[in-house]
Amino acid sequence: MTKTIIDQAGTGVETRPAIRTRESLLSTYRTELAIAGAIGLLVLAVGTQVPQALSWGNFANITQAGAPLIIMSLGVLLVVITGGIDLSVGSVFSLTGMVTAQAMAAGFGGVSAALVGLGVGLVFGSINGFLVTIAGLAPFVVTLITFAVAGSLAFIVTNGRSMPIGDPDFWLLNSGSMIPGMPNYILFCIVLLVAIELFLKKMVAGRWFYAVGSSAAAAHLLGIPVKRTQFFAYVASSLLASFSGLLTISYILNAESTAGSSLMLQAIAAVVIGGASLLGGTGTAVGAVLGALMITVIQNGVNLIGINSFWQGSVTGLAILIAVLIDRFSKSRRGAV
Amino acid sequence: MKTKLNGWLAMAASVALAALSSVAHAQEKKTVAYLAPSLDISYWQWVGFGVKQKAQELGMDYVEFTSENSPAKQMDNARTAVTKGVDAIVIGPVSSTSTPPLLAYLKSQNIPIAFAGIGPQPGQTDYTSSVTANNYETGKAQGSFVCALAKERGGNKVGMLSLPQDRENAQKYLKGAQEAFAADGCKLAQMLETRGLTVNEAVTQANDMLTAHPDIKAIYGMYDEAGTGAAKVLETRGLTGKIGIAVADGSPTTIGLLKAKAIQGIFFQEAVGQGIDGTQQVFNALTKAPVKKDLALVMPLVTADKIDSPEAKAVIARVFPPSK
């Protein structure tokens, strides 16, 4: 017995045995499981050198250090699935922090200042989305422009000075506990992970993202609102970058113009490590989160062992290569079956 | 007809006089250019503030260029400045090694140049003055101070959040600190080098360092953000004051932390002072006054109990602009 199923791209053009629908989680998240295994091995390897690497305290360090990257990566993932790229997230992250800090200095309360900060993400996401979908410019060019503009504005806002956070309660956003025993940054990561994964896998609008990324032309012919989907992806990406910026300044209670400068490439790397293709049409939120965690674990391991931090880039590059090879191998095996 | 001719001659003479007077005025008023490696770091803005302040005091015009951390752009900026007719240059170079061709060019143009913050490549002599911090002596003094902080807290292990060790100033800081640790009986448990110079990175590194070495009793911050990041980590872990922190550079943020006793000492790097002194030296060169070739400024230590003293205020005035 066969039946037509909606494939990951949501185009409904693929016909496979019905057994496909009963595919186990194990098979669906094969790449992600491989990454999770690699992370586990990495932590154990570091633990053999530095036993404290296996302590709860260190796991808390890793999740705290990784939370902003995780959230940013989830946003970048949405854009990458649609076949786009968002180079502006690091600058939006920095600008959000500076604007929020400046708003507090101007007398805004923590909540209203945070909303002003999120406005940065909304504005830049809308600009990206507008220029990509309406003006028809290439995502790389558009987000390169907004990367430069937002990065420049991050300096202009305070003339390059770092800004302390004025609201003494602002730390609660990151380190408070809406659920007893669970810091908010972990809660936000889990909620966003589940929400985005369910959205992508279970909701029709979520599957449009894959369809658009697989083939925008085919998606258009199928009646999928391609431009609206792309626009939403850029807005979501910028908003999540802004939110991760807010979490960071809430944690360190200080905003810096260069805070997000290294995060953009890390977020893209996390998404790729997590199994997404930069050509679009593939990727999962679970994978992006694991990719971000892997980068954070590498940084943590390098620090704990005391390896020169300049090696972090090389080790991360190697991790990307291994992840891409695992993904390629996994897909070719699935294809062979 | 004769009257008309006289009128024309008078007008021409007055125009010529005005032109000559303007040339003479332009020759009198000198211009100093400040070449910053990048202006996205407060330190280099503050050096620029010092250059500008001193230039105004000396009756000089001030122009500013940023090299965006590119040696090529730095060279282009120097050429542009010379083309614009500047009389002297104060430079915060992209790196010491980037300067030999620039010095050769400026020598050929007979333009005096003073270094601020980062000195020329060792062996170079074609410069007017070099105003830098004495990183080795500061490293030594800060190392002793950090070691004393550790011992006061019942241990002898210290951690270090370092600038990238490919920088000459970082190597000097480290050498001085290592000598002080050895002399005073302290052990450097771990050193982590920054890449991004951000507080967030320092927080992560301080967290990781204290996880790997929980017996560390004091932290040596080689740059300002390191002190801010380490203080944040100690606050989160409930260890404020139980682990000592001393930091180099100084900023309004770390001064706030010093006042709150979250850190115990700041070795101030006189960014504004370096700009002031560098400008004074090139001005001296232009006016044939004596010039000091190498000025290695000490980085004075200010502790929490002395932060409000007149001496400390005088030091801080040479660190960053008063409104900051």
Side-chain angles (χ1 to χ4, degrees):
Chain A
M1 174 186 153
T2 62
K3 80 172 192 183
T4 301
I5 61 156
I6 304 293
D7 73 331
Q8 198 179 41
T11 52
V13 293
E14 196 175 309
T15 302
R16 284 186 188 166
I19 197 165
R20 172 76 176 77
T21 57
R22 293 193 296 275
E23 201 172 50
S24 67
L25 277 177
L26 201 82
S27 177
T28 306
Y29 290 105
R30 189 183 302 193
T31 305
E32 289 79 358
L33 283 167
I35 300 163
I39 292 173
L41 285 175
L42 204 56
V43 171
L44 286 174
V46 176
T48 60
Q49 302 294 310
V50 184
Q52 293 91 334
L54 304 175
S55 66
W56 282 115
N58 191 48
F59 293 139
N61 288 350
I62 290 171
T63 47
Q64 172 64 78
L69 181 60
I70 286 171
I71 292 169
M72 184 183 280
S73 302
L74 286 169
V76 171
L77 171 77
L78 295 174
V79 172
V80 166
I81 289 176
T82 64
I85 190 88
D86 190 350
L87 305 178
S88 67
V89 283
S91 296
V92 168
F93 176 100
S94 304
L95 180 59
T96 299
M98 300 309 282
V99 166
T100 307
Q102 190 71 308
M104 283 186 208
F108 282 71
V111 175
S112 36
L115 288 174
V116 172
L118 284 176
V120 169
L122 188 64
V123 168
F124 274 88
S126 302
I127 293 170
N128 285 339
F130 175 82
L131 291 175
V132 169
T133 59
I134 309 298
L137 300 179
F140 188 93
V141 175
V142 168
T143 57
L144 189 63
I145 293 166
T146 46
F147 155 79
V149 172
S152 154
L153 289 175
F155 288 105
I156 291 169
V157 169
T158 61
N159 204 16
R161 281 179 295 126
S162 65
M163 289 276 296
I165 297 303
D167 184 343
D169 293 330
F170 199 66
W171 66 273
L172 287 166
L173 176 69
N174 178 80
S175 309
S177 296
M178 283 190 272
I179 293 178
M182 181 187 280
N184 287 343
Y185 64 87
I186 294 182
L187 177 68
F188 290 136
C189 288
I190 292 172
V191 167
L192 285 166
L193 164 65
V194 172
I196 292 174
E197 187 71 4
L198 287 177
F199 171 72
L200 289 171
K201 297 284 181 194
K202 300 291 179 191
M203 292 181 71
V204 174
R207 304 189 63 85
W208 289 347
F209 281 68
Y210 294 106
V212 170
S214 293
S215 168
H220 179 69
L221 289 174
L222 286 165
I224 292 171
V226 174
K227 288 184 177 177
R228 206 191 325 156
T229 304
Q230 289 172 327
F231 187 88
F232 178 80
Y234 284 99
V235 170
S237 175
S238 282
L239 273 174
L240 288 173
S242 274
F243 186 61
S244 65
L246 288 178
L247 271 192
T248 300
I249 61 167
S250 160
Y251 175 46
I252 61 174
L253 296 177
N254 194 63
E256 297 170 286
S257 320
T258 53
S261 52
S262 64
L263 282 177
M264 173 260 284
L265 282 177
Q266 288 182 15
I268 294 171
V271 166
V272 173
I273 289 173
S277 163
L278 289 179
L279 298 174
T282 60
T284 65
V286 176
V289 168
L290 289 170
L293 270 178
M294 174 167 262
I295 289 172
T296 311
V297 165
I298 289 170
Q299 290 169 346
N300 174 259
V302 165
N303 285 344
L304 288 181
I305 296 172
I307 301 169
N308 186 318
S309 61
F310 292 127
W311 282 101
Q312 280 177 15
S314 300
V315 179
T316 308
L318 190 63
I320 295 172
L321 178 65
I322 292 169
V324 171
L325 289 175
I326 289 173
D327 193 43
R328 171 70 61 90
F329 180 67
S330 160
K331 278 173 184 160
S332 65
R333 276 195 65 185
R334 247 182 274 181
V337 172
Chain B
M1 178 73 186
K2 199 176 175 184
T3 316
K4 209 171 182 181
L5 185 65
N6 283 346
W8 280 109
L9 283 173
M11 193 183 289
S14 46
V15 167
L17 266 176
L20 280 173
S21 139
S22 124
V23 168
H25 179 71
Q27 279 176 346
E28 277 168 20
K29 185 143 193 182
K30 308 286 186 190
T31 301
V32 61
Y34 169 50
L35 271 57
S38 69
L39 287 170
D40 54 3
I41 293 174
S42 302
Y43 186 84
W44 296 116
Q45 296 172 21
W46 298 346
V47 172
F49 177 85
V51 176
K52 192 174 184 179
Q53 188 187 53
K54 193 67 187 178
Q56 279 171 351
E57 193 184 312
L58 296 170
M60 299 174 88
D61 282 331
Y62 168 86
V63 288
E64 185 177 274
F65 298 85
T66 173
S67 306
E68 292 164 13
N69 292 315
S70 156
K73 184 88 189 282
Q74 177 175 270
M75 192 67 197
D76 292 345
N77 285 340
R79 287 181 182 278
T80 308
V82 171
T83 308
K84 280 184 73 163
V86 304
D87 301 284
I89 287 176
V90 176
I91 185 172
V94 170
S95 65
S96 301
T97 51
S98 69
T99 55
L102 184 133
L103 292 179
Y105 169 70
L106 292 177
K107 187 184 180 190
S108 73
Q109 301 295 315
N110 205 22
I111 302 284
I113 176 169
F115 285 82
I118 298 174
Q121 182 170 280
Q124 289 287 315
T125 54
D126 293 333
Y127 59 91
T128 309
S129 181
S130 172
V131 188
T132 55
N134 191 331
N135 303 118
Y136 168 72
E137 288 299 337
T138 305
K140 222 169 165 178
Q142 192 175 347
S144 282
F145 184 74
V146 168
C147 187
L149 288 177
K151 287 188 169 175
E152 279 167 21
R153 286 155 181 79
N156 71 340
K157 288 198 176 165
V158 298
M160 183 182 282
L161 296 175
S162 167
L163 288 165
Q165 280 295 321
D166 57 346
R167 293 191 187 182
E168 201 189 334
N169 60 341
Q171 292 164 9
K172 287 179 180 170
Y173 273 130
L174 178 60
K175 189 170 184 290
Q178 281 174 325
E179 286 179 14
F181 295 153
D184 298 347
C186 276
K187 186 170 180 259
L188 179 59
Q190 188 172 23
M191 179 187 77
L192 291 173
E193 294 173 53
T194 181
R195 289 192 302 167
L197 283 159
T198 64
V199 175
N200 202 26
E201 185 191 37
V203 165
T204 304
Q205 291 191 333
N207 250 327
D208 292 344
M209 194 164 70
L210 291 175
T211 300
H213 302 278
D215 50 353
I216 281 174
K217 291 294 177 191
I219 295 174
Y220 181 120
M222 211 181 270
Y223 57 102
D224 206 64
E225 291 80 0
T228 311
K232 173 67 199 168
V233 169
L234 296 191
E235 185 200 339
T236 307
R237 292 176 173 232
L239 294 171
T240 301
K242 292 174 186 161
I243 294 178
I245 301 174
V247 64
D249 288 353
S251 72
T253 305
T254 41
I255 287 174
L257 291 167
L258 187 69
K259 286 180 175 173
K261 299 195 173 11
I263 59 180
Q264 283 66 45
I266 301 175
F267 286 79
F268 282 103
Q269 180 152 208
E270 299 176 320
V272 172
Q274 289 175 355
I276 289 172
D277 293 349
T279 310
Q280 182 66 60
Q281 295 309 311
V282 289
F283 183 79
N284 287 357
L286 289 171
T287 54
K288 312 291 181 203
V291 170
K292 288 178 187 161
K293 184 97 174 166
D294 290 295
L295 274 168
L297 303 176
V298 290
M299 289 174 63
L301 166 67
V302 175
T303 49
D305 55 322
K306 291 183 182 149
I307 187 66
D308 291 319
S309 67
E311 294 81 12
K313 283 178 180 163
V315 166
I316 292 167
R318 281 176 57 89
V319 176
F320 50 80
S323 58
K324 304 287 190 284

